[in-house]
Amino acid sequence: MSAVLEQAEEAKKEAFEINKLSKRLHRQVGQAIADFNMIEDGDKVMVCVSGGKDSYALLDILLNLQKRAPISFELVAVNLDQKQPGFPDHVLPEYLKGLGVPFHIENQDTYSIVKRLIPEGKTMCSLCSRLRRGILYRVAGELGATKVALGHHRDDMIQTLFMNMFFGSRMKGMPPKLVSDDGKNIVIRPLAYVAETDLERWAAHREFPIIPCTLCGSQDNLQRVQTKQMLRDWEQRFPGRVDNMFNAMANVVPSHLMDRNLYPFTTLQTTGVPDSAGDRAFDEDDCAAPATIAIRPQR
Ligand code: SF4
């Protein structure tokens, strides 16, 4: 085959793959929105855009879905400029203007506050995110937003579950929808079903003007980095494992865990009535049995 033909073939293959990726991303986001009733008719959704690949992709996909949705909702993009040294503050306004989406840039120098309060060498992320959260909730109220959309994805949610187990001794993940701690906002994560690797490919394809997240000089949270690496290693060695773990978060069986607040172990009574679908205490390893639960295909 000539070089020109080879190139044409390659371009055709690439276009096919991107089309597949686009369909998957839009389907997964639409599915998460529907499964958790994230966006309703008349909603004004404030999309938090940081300049990272995930929030760019979130806004991009929501704008596309808005055009074809059977319901009517508004989108407003919001960026919090935290005054980190070297933050290119022209990038997001230019990009958002180009999209034609309503937007608001909130200027708040949380960088100086965090620098002043956190000793050198200590991680600043926890205070920084707390300040950011409070500001964004306030802005949502001022803009009249009914939902606040964040760009966390499937892998963030699994990592959080593992980090809470490893370092916090609790089984707690990152929900796709929640009421904020100030009680005033509904926070949604429409990328809940989306794999991070897909977002990386989408960001490269769409050429988002990514703003690096290292401007504050904070070290990456080592525990999160290690957990992410562990999950990526597992996925490479055992393809499908991450999807299964993710699906497990939606298939919880309280009677087979140990939380006395979730299941009344202490007052358990016999029923005297056989139940073929009931619990069996003496079976071989339950986990080895073929799964009988419905697992939503992620791809
Ligand atoms: S990486 Fe920097 S900007 Fe991001 S949460 Fe941590 S301290 Fe804040």
Side-chain angles (χ1 to χ4, degrees), residues 82 84 124-125 128 132 213 216 218:
Q82 297 179 272
Q84 295 150 351
M124 309 189 292
C125 296
C128 177
R132 188 169 49 226
C213 61
C216 63
S218 178

Side-chain angles (χ1 to χ4, degrees), residues 6-295:
E6 254 176 52
Q7 265 178 3
E9 199 54 41
E10 206 44 50
K12 210 169 120 191
K13 221 168 101 190
E14 175 65 14
F16 175 76
E17 287 302 322
I18 287 295
N19 185 37
K20 235 170 66 180
L21 172 65
S22 171
K23 282 190 177 150
R24 182 162 68 238
L25 287 171
H26 289 82
R27 189 185 69 242
Q28 289 176 331
V29 173
Q31 190 67 57
I33 290 173
D35 284 354
F36 295 93
N37 195 24
M38 289 186 189
I39 300 179
E40 294 155 276
D41 198 40
D43 264 342
K44 182 170 186 176
V45 183
M46 174 175 125
V47 185
C48 300
V49 183
S50 65
K53 68 178 190 321
D54 305 332
S55 54
Y56 273 127
L58 173 64
L59 179 63
D60 193 32
I61 296 166
L62 286 180
L63 280 167
N64 290 333
L65 291 179
Q66 186 188 34
K67 288 179 205 136
R68 18 174 153 134
I71 56 166
S72 160
F73 62 92
E74 284 177 64
L75 293 173
V76 54
V78 168
N79 169 251
L80 171 58
D81 179 346
Q82 297 179 272
K83 301 297 166 199
Q84 295 150 351
F87 183 77
D89 57 10
H90 62 284
V91 170
L92 274 164
E94 278 171 16
Y95 175 78
L96 296 169
K97 257 184 224 150
L99 286 182
V101 64
F103 71 92
H104 169 77
I105 307 288
E106 179 74 10
N107 291 290
Q108 293 279 329
D109 186 357
T110 60
Y111 176 78
S112 301
I113 302 175
V114 172
K115 271 291 193 199
R116 198 172 63 240
L117 295 178
I118 304 287
E120 199 62 43
K122 297 272 179 213
T123 173
M124 309 189 292
C125 296
S126 147
L127 175 60
C128 177
S129 348
R130 226 174 32 242
L131 292 173
R132 188 169 49 226
R133 201 163 65 225
I135 295 166
L136 288 172
Y137 290 164
R138 173 181 56 73
V139 172
E142 289 168 3
L143 294 176
T146 49
K147 302 276 165 61
V148 176
L150 301 178
H152 296 110
H153 46 72
R154 180 198 72 166
D155 299 73
D156 287 325
M157 293 165 73
I158 304 174
Q159 278 163 32
T160 304
L161 176 73
F162 275 89
M163 287 181 67
N164 274 325
M165 285 197 286
F166 289 164
F167 309 109
S169 300
R170 57 188 173 172
M171 230 178 229
K172 179 181 167 182
M174 180 186 264
K177 184 178 182 184
L178 69 134
V179 177
S180 60
D181 46 356
D182 66 359
K184 293 180 184 161
N185 290 283
I186 299 276
V187 177
I188 56 172
R189 296 189 165 102
L191 299 181
Y193 292 164
V194 176
E196 185 174 21
T197 46
D198 279 353
L199 293 169
E200 286 163 0
R201 286 180 59 208
W202 190 244
H205 165 66
R206 300 286 283 152
E207 299 180 337
F208 295 139
I210 304 285
I211 302 174
C213 61
T214 47
L215 296 170
C216 63
S218 178
Q219 296 296 316
D220 272 346
N221 177 334
L222 194 61
Q223 291 168 344
R224 186 167 283 279
V225 173
Q226 286 171 343
T227 308
K228 180 174 176 171
Q229 194 50 51
M230 178 195 81
L231 292 168
R232 286 219 170 175
D233 286 350
W234 279 357
E235 184 58 25
Q236 257 178 8
R237 283 194 290 151
F238 312 105
R241 176 176 284 193
V242 169
D243 270 347
N244 282 348
M245 288 189 299
F246 182 73
N247 287 315
M249 284 199 278
N251 282 304
V252 177
V253 186
S255 64
H256 283 55
L257 293 170
M258 286 174 52
D259 190 331
R260 285 172 289 155
N261 294 317
L262 279 186
Y263 192 75
F265 290 105
T266 52
T267 54
L268 211 54
Q269 302 283 327
T270 55
T271 62
V273 182
D275 177 0
S276 59
D279 292 338
R280 289 156 301 188
F282 302 105
D283 280 3
E284 287 297 299
D285 189 359
D286 250 353
C287 311
T292 51
I293 49 176
I295 294 181

